[in-house]
Amino acid sequence: ASLAAAVDPSNNLASERSSIESTYELTKYLEYQLKEIKDVYLTYLGPPFNEKDFSPPRPNSTALTLPSAATRLELWHGLENQARLAQNQRAYSILLAAVRELARSTLCPSLKTSLLHFCTGLDGLLGSISALMNSLGYSSPLQAAARPTMNDFARKVEGFWILRELQSWLWRSAKDFNRLKKRLRG
Amino acid sequence: MPRLLNSPTSKSNCGPVWVALVLLGISALNTQAKTVLSVPQQVSLSPNFPTQQLSISWLGGEATTFDLIIFTTEFKETIFSDTVSAVVNQDSGRHQWTWTSVEPLECTSLSVQIRSREGETTSEWSEPQILEGKDLPSNSEAQMFPQDRIVPAGANTTFCCIVEEGKEFKSIRYENTNMPVKRLSRRSYAITAIFQEATRITGSNVICHSNGPITGATIFVGYPPLPSWFKCETRDLISAVCHWDKGRYTNLGGRRRTRYSVNNRDCSERNMCALSQWDGNWTLVAANPLGQYNLTDSAELSHRVYPVAPLNLSHVAHAWNATLFWEWTHSSYSSLALVCQVELAGRSTTVRDFFGVGLRSVFLTDLHPDEKYSVQVRCGAQNNFWKWGDWSELHHFKTKPYAPDAPSVWLWLTSDNTGLIVWKPLTRLQSHGKILRYSVTVGNAGKTELTESLSPENHSFPVNLTRWASLSHDNRVRAAVVAENVAGTSPPAIVPLRFRDVEPPALAQAAHNSSGFSLSWQQNAGSTCSYVVEWCETLCLNCSVDWIRLDAGNTNVSIPSANLLPGVRYNFSLYGCPSDFPVLMQRWQGYKEELPPSRVELKIAQLDCDVVLSWEEVPLEKRRGFLLGYNVYISNSSQLTLLEKLDASRRTYTVSGLPAGSYKFVVKAYTSGGEGTDSIVSIRLEPCGGLILPILTSMGIVTLLLATVALVCYKKRRWVKTAFYPDIPEPKLPGDWSRTQEPMDVKPFPHSIVHILEKPERDPYKDALVVIPEEEVDDHAEGTGDGPVDVDERQSLRYYNQVVDERPIRPRYPDSSASSLSSVDSANTDVTYTGISEGFQPHTGPSMSSGATAGGYQPQMRPVTLGGNQASPEPLVEPQVVGCGGYKPQSSWLIDSPTEADERMSPTPSLGSPTSVASTHFLLSDREGDEQERRQTSSSAAAWLTNLLFSAKP
């Protein structure tokens, strides 16, 4: 939440770099935290979700109406900073809502606690990205989505994919922020 | 894991169809003859997908029974075929029948046909009515059914997978198990899981694999709710609170969880229901997707009072009692008859019950002064008791102090003229507060002579008994001890001073058992006095003394020994009338536990041939038990051999009959606790002097006797001569042969001269190492034939005239033949062997006997005729003979031995000479050889004596 504090656009470059650095660190922390939660959550879903080679089709559900993080690297790198940041913000806002729904529907109390704790961090990351965009003079897109009715199996597949996408996004975001930091230095 | 079962829809197949056709044919024939049944019309199918039920309705005319057939539209596989009695809906006039499918209705399209039946008469089949499945080409995506099914544990469930259009089916997995598959249609495949076990809360996953996208379903297997112990009660005497036990785990959660309601009020959140009014009757409904369970309860309010915890506890405390106050949350309790429990925790914890209407305070008695207490209260309804209310919070208070109790006082005599007034420290229960000081007063007949104030750490006061005895006329001096705390002083504890203890006649042993030292005594007849038993360590004067007071009439006591030490001797003294005039009645000594004693101080000495062990008495402090005796061992390497067990009174032990040598002895004292530490001594036993002394004494006596005899003989030499050496009568010879009488001329016969052939320079010690050549031996000892014989014996020295009949003894040869040969070669010899003959005529050479018979007096030798000079040209040496010499009658021949030249001339040179027992030759020895003989004789005697002396040494 502290990271979500708005960064004054008039701040100097060092402050922006520091903000990016903090965002980068938070991203790495969330990436590490998600790795542990994901294992527990997939075990909670039961086999075959916790099997290594299990890969159900990515559902085209509301929670996953975000561009896959599996975008080709050269295409992703070809985007402007603002576009990438906007994509990041959009993705995390959708994924945050999805993870919150996962936490709400989780019947295991300890896992629910872990997911909610992760949501707090993810919310902070979202705030950091927004602040960063503001400091760089970009505008933040906002989205809201309704959640359709799904059967339990489809929900499990969706949860599986939410965590997978989130992991990919966090991995890519860390690289984005690192690159952005370097560019600002240059 | 569910067991596997082939789908019951796998009933075959074409048989029923043929049967139907045959029936159709028969029906057609009958139609001509009988009434024609109407074909069911307007067949309608109404599926319920979650329940997998298909409701079939139709207009069936007059018929009451119908044949019904259901088969898969695509594969024409009959799933159901039976004759049913359908119910007629009175409103619509339609027949209706419901069929429950094993497979989900979505799995594939089903066709239904109906015909009327009246006995054996049937109508035509209706047109097939089709319930479309989800496997139609229009639904090309992959699907699985059923979804989100909730079933009870043990149920069977059939799943079907509809693969994506154009994709190839692979398998269906139920959790981790690949299931056998039944194909329902071109794209639809089914499995059945039987007797399913309860799943995890997120359900079991069924996954359908194809070369298209994965699809799946989740099934939840659990139990219906089964709550118990549903009860409602009141806390405020107005409202009701209902509780229940949820019972077994249903394995269902989330939206499938069990929901509870009491009297239609939802109570799912906390598993309890608070109702604002006391209804008196309640119904609990527990429901989940698998079922519902109802429980009821009914009661009057007064029977279900569950009081709340008392609040705001307070107190008013005194030394021995206190009053406890509290408040109630609900004013309605003021009229309620209550029973309250007060749990009082001080040095121990007690629970006390109090009764009263609207109870708000209790009076606590039997408390101890200056004591901290913790208290808590709970209450219940006195009438129609339902349950105890909640405990209040803990409340703490402390009682006020009070004057202490009188201490227990005793006089301990530490010596003949001093004593200690001792008293036991007051316990918390006795002190009633912190002790500030003790006051000791000593006085006589009410007159105080001494008052001393002592700090609370002191528990003794020394008194000079001699002084007090001198001050007292009647020996009735008393000491009083008073304890003082903030609340006051204790009553005085009085003990009379006694100036001397008269020792009882006997000192008994005190037996110890598990409960302590058990002491008993006989009561004096008519005595009404009480007793004191005092005990302390026997040896430790600075140690504390303890005592116990006993009422009159007691004749035994068990002294607790928890604080006593094992292996330490304690004295126990019984005093009678301790309060008036204490009299020492009996004494005991005892050990709490006897231990092995310490080692003894062991000494050892040799007395003549005996070994004497002695040791000091084990000091009392080292005995560690009642000493039973001593065990004496002799140590053989690592093993101890018990020589004797001695009683405790013996402290010496003599070991006799041991040969000289080194010995190690161990002595261990022992008690009933076992043997003590080893005391080890060792000694090197010298040879005894007793054998030498008698020998020397005997030799002295013999010497003295011989000297006496010699002296007597000298004094009486004339008589001796006359008696033992008479003059030999002169032979009567013709002519002038007479001679004056004179002692016998013992000059040896000239032929008795030893013929010394050569006198080489040599080592006399090598004389014994000579060899007799074989031929010589054979020549001179012919017929002996035996091997070498040891002749180094005195008996081998014989008179030659005795030896001749004996077989010759070969000399002992030197160790080395080489040296023997060299000896031979050297030809250095001391003696010459000559033949011996007694009436013996040597077959070689002329007889030379005539000369012999003309010889002088030969008292012990018979005349010997020598067979000529048989002296060997190679003189042989008989070392043994040389060493030992031979018989030298009257010893004259040595002195008057002829010269070498005379010997050469003598025809019988060896006459009078000893003979070699080995060679039957005369053994001749020169002077040196004789000296050697004497040396040997004397040296052998000396050696014998030396051996004797030293052989006695170890």
Side-chain angles (χ1 to χ4, degrees):
Chain A
S2 61
L3 290 169
V7 179
D8 192 340
S10 63
N11 278 352
N12 56 23
L13 198 62
S15 141
E16 286 170 357
R17 195 179 299 137
S18 169
S19 176
I20 295 169
E21 175 69 27
S22 301
T23 310
Y24 168 78
E25 293 295 337
L26 177 61
T27 309
K28 293 296 287 183
Y29 168 71
L30 290 174
E31 189 183 0
Y32 167 78
Q33 197 180 9
L34 179 63
K35 188 171 181 297
E36 291 189 341
I37 292 175
K38 186 183 167 194
D39 289 342
V40 178
Y41 190 81
L42 295 184
T43 302
Y44 160 79
L45 294 182
F49 289 94
N50 55 349
E51 292 170 6
K52 265 188 176 179
D53 54 351
F54 180 68
S55 183
R58 187 174 187 276
N60 191 19
S61 63
T62 310
L64 293 163
T65 55
L66 70 165
S68 170
T71 311
R72 284 169 59 190
L73 201 61
E74 61 269 22
L75 292 180
W76 180 253
H77 287 171
L79 293 175
E80 291 294 326
N81 284 340
Q82 181 180 4
R84 276 204 301 273
L85 280 172
Q87 289 271 27
N88 269 293
Q89 191 188 34
R90 178 170 170 265
Y92 288 125
S93 63
I94 294 171
L95 286 169
L96 175 60
V99 177
R100 277 186 175 142
E101 177 58 23
L102 283 187
R104 191 198 61 76
S105 61
T106 296
L107 300 173
C108 172
S110 61
L111 184 59
K112 177 179 278 196
T113 304
S114 298
L115 285 168
L116 288 174
H117 179 70
F118 180 78
C119 285
T120 307
L122 200 58
D123 193 33
L125 177 64
L126 200 54
S128 291
I129 295 171
S130 297
L132 191 61
M133 289 180 73
N134 287 337
S135 69
L136 295 173
Y138 307 148
S139 58
S140 313
L142 289 175
Q143 283 195 351
R147 194 177 165 80
T149 306
M150 289 191 297
N151 65 46
D152 283 288
F153 185 79
R155 262 192 220 103
K156 286 184 178 183
V157 172
E158 186 187 68
F160 175 92
W161 270 102
I162 286 170
L163 297 184
R164 177 181 275 192
E165 284 292 351
L166 193 50
Q167 195 172 28
S168 302
W169 271 100
L170 286 170
W171 178 83
R172 194 165 69 177
S173 294
K175 295 201 171 302
D176 287 347
F177 296 134
N178 203 29
R179 192 176 301 110
L180 187 59
K181 187 173 63 178
K182 287 176 181 171
R183 285 189 184 180
L184 284 177
R185 190 182 299 162
Chain B
M1 265 299 120
R3 286 183 284 169
L4 311 177
L5 184 72
N6 284 330
S7 171
T9 60
S10 59
K11 276 191 250 173
S12 142
N13 35 36
C14 300
V17 177
W18 284 109
V19 171
L21 293 174
V22 170
L23 289 173
L24 201 63
I26 295 169
S27 174
L29 291 174
N30 289 338
T31 311
Q32 297 174 343
K34 297 180 181 178
T35 308
V36 175
L37 291 175
S38 60
V39 177
Q41 301 293 320
Q42 299 181 22
V43 175
S44 169
L45 303 180
S46 177
N48 185 335
F49 290 106
T51 60
Q52 298 180 188
Q53 288 182 328
L54 180 63
S55 181
I56 307 166
S57 63
W58 65 92
L59 291 172
E62 299 301 319
T64 55
T65 58
F66 301 90
D67 290 337
L68 206 130
I69 185 168
I70 302 173
F71 54 92
T72 57
T73 306
E74 194 173 325
F75 283 177
K76 298 288 186 287
E77 184 178 329
T78 301
I79 299 171
F80 178 82
S81 173
D82 204 353
T83 300
V84 301
S85 298
V87 180
V88 178
N89 188 313
Q90 297 300 324
D91 296 334
S92 61
R94 293 175 68 87
H95 291 83
Q96 186 169 343
W97 192 78
T98 302
W99 171 69
T100 303
S101 173
V102 173
E103 293 101 359
L105 296 175
E106 300 95 329
C107 289
T108 188
S109 298
L110 299 174
S111 297
V112 178
Q113 282 186 300
I114 308 169
R115 70 180 178 188
S116 302
R117 172 178 286 276
E118 196 65 51
E120 297 298 319
T121 306
T122 58
S123 69
E124 294 288 326
W125 286 102
S126 64
E127 287 298 314
Q129 191 68 27
I130 296 174
L131 175 68
E132 289 187 349
K134 301 287 185 181
D135 59 344
L136 295 179
S138 55
N139 286 327
S140 61
E141 62 190 20
Q143 302 164 78
M144 191 151 198
F145 299 99
Q147 289 288 344
D148 305 341
R149 180 62 56 85
I150 305 167
V151 297
N156 304 336
T157 305
T158 298
F159 296 88
C160 66
C161 168
I162 302 170
V163 296
E164 191 177 325
E165 188 69 56
K167 301 296 179 184
E168 188 179 337
F169 172 81
K170 287 184 177 174
S171 65
I172 298 177
R173 278 178 66 189
Y174 186 104
E175 288 283 273
N176 291 319
T177 307
N178 271 320
M179 306 290 282
V181 178
K182 177 180 185 298
R183 190 170 188 176
L184 300 179
S185 69
R186 183 176 58 87
R187 289 171 54 206
S188 185
Y189 299 84
I191 62 152
T192 299
I194 65 166
F195 204 70
Q196 296 167 100
E197 294 176 354
T199 58
R200 73 182 76 84
I201 200 166
T202 52
S204 293
N205 304 311
V206 187
I207 308 294
C208 178
H209 295 273
S210 67
N211 60 355
I214 288 173
T215 187
T218 301
I219 185 169
F220 299 89
V221 185
Y223 299 94
L226 190 63
S228 58
W229 295 106
F230 173 59
K231 295 292 175 189
C232 296
E233 58 202 11
T234 183
R235 309 213 70 172
D236 58 1
L237 308 182
I238 297 171
S239 63
V241 179
C242 298
H243 300 268
W244 59 90
D245 187 282
K246 290 198 287 186
R248 73 181 171 199
Y249 179 54
T250 62
N251 292 71
L252 302 175
R255 65 178 186 274
R256 293 166 291 275
R257 71 184 184 277
T258 304
R259 298 176 187 277
Y260 299 93
S261 65
V262 176
N263 288 0
N264 296 319
R265 180 170 180 172
D266 183 21
C267 308
S268 298
E269 295 306 314
R270 296 198 300 164
N271 295 316
M272 55 87 71
C273 249
L275 305 171
S276 58
Q277 292 185 23
W278 187 263
D279 296 331
N281 295 298
W282 305 272
T283 300
L284 169 70
V285 177
N288 73 3
L290 294 177
Q292 175 176 312
Y293 197 85
N294 293 355
L295 285 173
T296 58
D297 183 33
S298 61
E300 294 181 21
L301 184 145
S302 60
H303 292 195
R304 295 288 176 87
V305 178
Y306 173 34
V308 294
L311 291 176
N312 302 329
L313 268 67
S314 58
H315 70 275
V316 174
H318 306 285
W320 299 96
N321 53 57
T323 304
L324 187 68
F325 303 92
W326 65 85
E327 295 173 3
W328 289 113
T329 310
H330 307 294
S331 58
S332 52
Y333 280 30
S334 59
S335 58
L336 181 66
L338 291 168
V339 52
C340 292
Q341 275 192 336
V342 177
E343 186 183 82
L344 188 68
R347 291 188 154 269
S348 60
T349 299
T350 57
V351 175
R352 306 179 188 186
D353 290 346
F354 299 89
F355 300 87
V357 176
L359 210 56
R360 297 177 59 184
S361 68
V362 292
F363 184 61
L364 303 172
T365 58
D366 300 327
L367 306 182
H368 286 100
D370 197 47
E371 192 76 31
K372 288 179 181 175
Y373 289 96
S374 297
V375 65
Q376 58 181 351
V377 187
R378 67 178 180 179
C379 298
Q382 187 178 347
N383 304 317
N384 306 311
F385 180 85
W386 167 238
K387 63 166 71 170
W388 285 110
D390 297 325
W391 283 107
S392 69
E393 291 186 348
L394 273 178
H395 179 71
H396 307 282
F397 67 91
K398 186 177 182 181
T399 52
K400 294 187 174 175
Y402 194 76
D405 290 345
S408 177
V409 183
W410 182 239
L411 175 69
W412 185 30
L413 299 187
T414 52
S415 68
D416 287 343
N417 55 6
T418 60
L420 273 181
I421 297 169
V422 288
W423 57 93
K424 293 184 180 179
L426 293 172
T427 62
R428 275 187 63 84
L429 288 179
Q430 294 169 326
S431 63
H432 303 159
K434 186 181 178 184
I435 298 296
L436 300 177
R437 67 187 65 83
Y438 290 103
S439 296
V440 180
T441 304
V442 184
N444 182 15
K447 183 181 176 185
T448 300
E449 300 288 350
L450 171 69
T451 298
E452 195 79 28
S453 181
L454 302 171
S455 64
E457 295 78 28
N458 290 316
H459 298 100
S460 64
F461 182 73
V463 287
N464 188 331
L465 298 174
T466 309
R467 172 174 170 254
W468 286 106
S470 65
L471 292 175
S472 169
H473 300 296
D474 53 0
N475 282 355
R476 294 186 73 80
V477 180
R478 292 170 181 275
V481 178
V482 171
E484 184 180 344
N485 68 7
V486 289
T489 58
S490 72
I494 296 173
V495 62
L497 301 192
R498 61 187 194 283
F499 302 110
R500 189 178 297 109
D501 281 340
V502 178
E503 287 293 328
L507 188 65
Q509 282 191 10
H512 183 267
N513 53 36
S514 58
S515 60
F517 286 98
S518 183
L519 309 176
S520 61
W521 58 90
Q522 289 189 335
Q523 187 177 11
N524 290 336
S527 173
T528 58
C529 281
S530 59
Y531 300 98
V532 161
V533 176
E534 167 201 288
W535 65 91
C536 60
E537 288 185 29
T538 302
L539 291 175
C540 184
L541 294 177
N542 295 325
C543 296
S544 61
V545 64
D546 204 354
W547 64 93
I548 187 171
R549 290 182 178 274
L550 302 170
D551 292 334
N554 278 308
T555 57
N556 61 71
V557 66
S558 181
I559 305 295
S561 59
N563 296 326
L564 303 187
L565 301 172
V568 175
R569 184 178 290 192
Y570 288 92
N571 278 355
F572 300 89
S573 304
L574 173 70
Y575 291 89
C577 304
S579 302
D580 299 321
F581 194 76
V583 177
L584 178 58
M585 296 172 59
Q586 200 164 335
R587 268 196 170 159
W588 298 265
Q589 285 188 328
Y591 290 88
K592 178 184 179 181
E593 181 187 353
E594 292 195 48
L595 301 177
S598 300
R599 58 193 300 275
V600 299
E601 292 298 326
L602 188 58
K603 297 174 183 173
I604 191 167
Q606 178 176 356
L607 184 64
D608 296 333
C609 292
D610 298 338
V611 175
V612 178
L613 300 171
S614 62
W615 55 92
E616 296 296 323
E617 187 178 26
V618 180
L620 184 59
E621 66 272 18
K622 293 184 178 178
R623 288 183 200 169
R624 310 171 76 187
F626 292 111
L627 208 60
L628 299 177
Y630 304 93
N631 289 335
V632 182
Y633 299 91
I634 187 167
S635 174
N636 300 324
S637 61
S638 62
Q639 186 179 356
L640 292 180
T641 305
L642 179 66
L643 295 176
E644 186 138 6
K645 291 176 80 75
L646 304 176
D647 59 50
S649 62
R650 290 188 56 185
R651 291 200 295 277
T652 61
Y653 182 72
T654 303
V655 187
S656 305
L658 292 175
S662 293
Y663 296 96
K664 195 179 283 184
F665 296 95
V666 175
V667 175
K668 299 180 187 181
Y670 66 95
T671 66
S672 65
E675 283 189 329
T677 318
D678 294 2
S679 293
I680 306 171
V681 289
S682 57
I683 191 171
R684 183 179 180 84
L685 194 60
E686 299 296 338
C688 305
L691 186 58
I692 299 171
L693 196 61
I695 291 172
L696 293 176
T697 306
S698 305
M699 289 175 66
I701 291 171
V702 169
T703 307
L704 190 63
L705 191 62
L706 288 174
T708 306
V709 170
L711 186 63
V712 169
C713 289
Y714 177 73
K715 292 286 187 186
K716 301 293 183 182
R717 58 185 178 277
R718 290 186 181 280
W719 175 80
V720 170
K721 179 180 180 301
T722 308
F724 298 101
Y725 204 74
D727 292 336
I728 299 171
E730 191 173 348
K732 305 285 186 194
L733 294 173
D736 189 13
W737 285 84
S738 61
R739 292 178 60 180
T740 57
Q741 273 207 318
E742 56 187 23
M744 183 179 67
D745 182 7
V746 294
K747 182 183 288 185
F749 191 71
H751 295 284
S752 298
I753 294 170
V754 173
H755 184 194
I756 302 300
L757 301 177
E758 192 176 1
K759 185 181 177 184
E761 290 294 324
R762 59 184 180 177
D763 186 352
Y765 290 102
K766 292 181 179 177
D767 289 347
L769 303 175
V770 295
V771 168
I772 300 172
E774 289 287 333
E775 50 199 327
E776 289 295 326
V777 172
D778 288 342
D779 289 344
H780 299 291
E782 186 176 351
T784 56
D786 291 331
V789 175
D790 190 352
V791 295
D792 189 12
E793 297 174 3
R794 294 178 180 279
Q795 68 224 29
S796 66
L797 301 179
R798 306 290 169 84
Y799 298 114
Y800 66 90
N801 54 350
Q802 294 172 327
V803 170
V804 288
D805 293 335
E806 298 180 8
R807 69 184 181 182
I809 300 173
R810 300 170 73 99
R812 169 178 282 183
Y813 289 140
D815 297 334
S816 166
S817 58
S819 61
S820 301
L821 288 171
S822 64
S823 297
V824 172
D825 292 343
S826 69
N828 292 331
T829 182
D830 296 326
V831 296
T832 299
Y833 290 91
T834 50
I836 298 175
S837 62
E838 182 186 1
F840 170 74
Q841 296 296 324
H843 50 310
T844 57
S847 174
M848 302 291 288
S849 61
S850 57
T853 54
Y857 175 60
Q858 298 170 350
Q860 296 169 5
M861 285 182 169
R862 287 189 294 174
V864 175
T865 302
L866 298 177
N869 188 357
Q870 297 298 318
S872 172
E874 293 180 14
L876 296 177
V877 176
E878 174 49 67
Q880 299 296 333
V881 175
V882 168
C884 296
Y887 178 66
K888 304 174 182 67
Q890 291 135 25
S891 300
S892 57
W893 67 279
L894 261 178
I895 301 168
D896 301 326
S897 68
T899 62
E900 189 175 325
D902 292 339
E903 284 181 353
R904 285 198 187 103
M905 296 297 291
S906 171
T908 55
S910 62
L911 185 63
S913 166
T915 59
S916 167
V917 294
S919 63
T920 70
H921 283 66
F922 286 113
L923 179 62
L924 303 179
S925 171
D926 60 4
R927 187 178 301 271
E928 186 177 323
D930 189 50
E931 284 176 3
Q932 185 175 351
E933 174 195 335
R934 284 197 298 274
R935 252 193 332 266
Q936 282 196 340
T937 304
S938 62
S939 64
S940 63
W944 174 76
L945 181 61
T946 305
N947 286 337
L948 180 64
L949 288 170
F950 283 99
S951 65
K953 294 179 181 177

